[in-house]
Amino acid sequence: MIRFATIGTNFVTGWMLEAARSCPELHYAAVYSRSAEKAREFASRYGAEAIHTDLDALAEDPGIDAVYIASPNCMHFGQAARMLAHGKHVLCEKTITSNRHELARLLEIAAENRVILLEAMRSVFDPGFRAIEENLPKLGKIRRASFQYCQYSSRYDKFKAGIVENAFNPALSNGSLMDIGVYCVHPLVKLFGRPDRIVADAVFLDNGVDGAGTILGSWKCGMQSELLYSKITNSRIPSQIQGESGSMIIREIANPREVTIIRNDGTAESVYSRPEESNNNMVYELREWCRLIREGNGENPHNRFSLLELEVMDEARRLTGIRFPADEAWEERSRA
């Protein structure tokens, strides 16, 4: 039995807890919130045994084995570091940290304490993504990957009305790249590695947050990629991978429900189709988290892809001029 706590009382945590019901190893032990009232309400709704309003008390609680973190991005590093240092396994929502430096330090802390740190990048643990990986050889030599995830945010309507919520606040290490673009970047580097060259551009809103963006990548082997992401528009076009023998159509890269190969002769092969009743794909990342914890050696093969993801995103932010307070805080710690 893995007794876990949650940090964050938003709808994403609710989705995770619904998925956790399919994982008999997981037992919901506690919820953390700065507000006792909010914590009690959340615990009552989802069945947590206890509440915490102090992070140190949560970290020191001997009855907690693991913690799921779904707070704003800027808080991930500090909260995860505290939990890992006290021997708690951590599953942290994407984007796992504000920059690569922070993640590298968390991995050191996890290794020192022989605990598991995993980014909750649900799409790459989905059976649909496994179908993508397994069927890539059918495409022949890969020449292009075109991944896009453009989802008009309901919070954008509030933004236009003058209400800036967390998702559109760059001070919290948020924005289109960190919230949406990561769903394109992580699968790209997991499938093909880091591009040798990156070009990036972004659309900025009035408060300086990026509302949409594009990242172009190229490899010396003769492959290119284009990543399109947005929180201010929708896209109806699927993602695809083009090879010299055919193309793979993916609906959707952030939540792969259907994967189809269309060969150069026009014949089509469906290689994956998710059953309609299986909509919450967070269960797969939870099962992998449990497996890693159960094996008990502290090793995690997935973190290298999170490091590559952040390398690409850090470079894209450098090229587009996106800087977070977390970047400056890290630089100050490094100089100290």
Side-chain angles (χ1 to χ4, degrees):
M1 184 67 68
I2 301 169
R3 295 175 56 82
F4 75 98
T6 57
I7 295 176
T9 54
N10 55 32
F11 64 93
V12 177
T13 307
W15 290 346
M16 187 281 293
L17 291 169
E18 291 173 6
R21 293 170 184 161
S22 300
C23 302
E25 294 169 278
L26 291 174
H27 179 77
Y28 192 23
V31 54
Y32 165 84
S33 174
R34 289 171 295 181
S35 163
E37 180 181 357
K38 187 177 291 186
R40 281 192 291 269
E41 188 278 329
F42 200 81
S44 175
R45 191 191 323 168
Y46 291 102
E49 293 179 349
I51 69 166
H52 280 287
T53 57
D54 182 87
L55 274 175
D56 288 325
L58 173 60
E60 295 166 5
D61 188 338
I64 303 297
D65 305 307
V67 180
Y68 168 78
I69 298 175
S71 53
N73 292 333
C74 66
M75 299 179 180
H76 289 178
F77 174 73
Q79 292 173 343
R82 197 171 304 186
M83 299 303 136
L84 294 167
H86 284 81
K88 314 296 188 200
H89 305 286
V90 170
L91 177 66
C92 187
E93 266 305 329
K94 56 79 195 167
T95 296
I96 187 167
T97 54
S98 298
N99 53 56
R100 189 190 187 281
H101 299 296
E102 288 185 341
L103 178 55
R105 178 59 189 139
L106 289 185
L107 293 177
E108 291 175 350
I109 299 171
E112 290 165 3
N113 292 274
R114 295 185 63 79
V115 288
I116 291 298
L117 171 66
L118 180 66
E119 184 173 26
M121 182 54 59
R122 57 188 173 89
S123 57
V124 298
F125 299 105
D126 190 290
F129 190 80
R130 187 163 59 249
I132 294 171
E133 291 181 300
E134 293 174 350
N135 287 276
L136 273 181
K138 296 179 180 178
L139 304 182
K141 186 175 180 62
I142 305 300
R143 289 301 189 181
R144 180 181 298 274
S146 300
F147 295 165
Q148 57 178 292
Y149 185 29
C150 303
Q151 181 174 292
Y152 187 94
S153 172
S154 60
R155 297 179 181 89
Y156 186 45
D157 289 333
K158 293 182 179 179
F159 180 90
K160 290 187 288 185
I163 303 170
V164 180
E165 295 193 339
N166 288 354
F168 284 91
N169 187 348
L172 302 181
S173 302
N174 277 341
S176 182
L177 174 61
M178 301 293 281
D179 190 32
I180 294 289
V182 65
Y183 280 118
C184 297
V185 175
H186 194 108
L188 181 79
V189 298
K190 186 171 175 61
L191 291 170
F192 306 110
R194 188 192 191 284
D196 295 310
R197 181 171 179 265
I198 293 169
V199 178
D201 197 10
V203 175
F204 292 95
L205 305 183
D206 293 342
N207 70 334
V209 74
D210 60 311
T214 302
I215 299 175
L216 303 179
S218 61
W219 287 256
K220 294 175 183 177
C221 65
M223 176 185 161
Q224 295 180 328
S225 64
E226 52 188 4
L227 310 181
L228 284 69
Y229 51 91
S230 174
K231 291 173 65 66
I232 58 177
T233 58
N234 281 317
S235 173
R236 308 300 180 187
I237 300 174
S239 293
Q240 64 173 305
I241 301 171
Q242 299 175 7
E244 293 186 355
S245 299
S247 296
M248 180 182 289
I249 311 301
I250 305 163
R251 302 177 187 272
E252 316 155 339
I253 194 61
N255 187 9
R257 304 162 190 252
E258 296 179 6
V259 182
T260 304
I261 291 176
I262 302 179
R263 298 179 180 85
N264 287 348
D265 63 6
T267 59
E269 176 188 4
S270 173
V271 297
Y272 180 75
S273 180
R274 182 189 301 160
E276 283 297 324
E277 64 271 14
S278 304
N279 288 323
N280 189 340
N281 68 342
M282 296 179 82
V283 65
Y284 304 110
E285 67 186 19
L286 290 172
R287 289 174 182 170
E288 179 63 4
W289 191 40
C290 289
R291 184 190 70 81
L292 293 167
I293 293 171
R294 186 171 62 247
E295 292 185 354
N297 58 17
E299 295 182 0
N300 176 2
H302 307 291
N303 287 329
R304 62 191 178 103
F305 301 115
S306 293
L307 286 167
L308 289 175
E309 156 208 306
L310 282 164
E311 285 182 19
V312 171
M313 293 170 71
D314 284 356
E315 176 64 5
R317 289 199 297 115
R318 186 189 70 81
L319 291 169
T320 53
I322 299 172
R323 277 183 63 82
F324 300 134
D327 301 320
E328 297 170 5
W330 179 267
E331 290 169 2
E332 289 178 6
R333 283 195 296 270
S334 299
R335 287 192 293 266

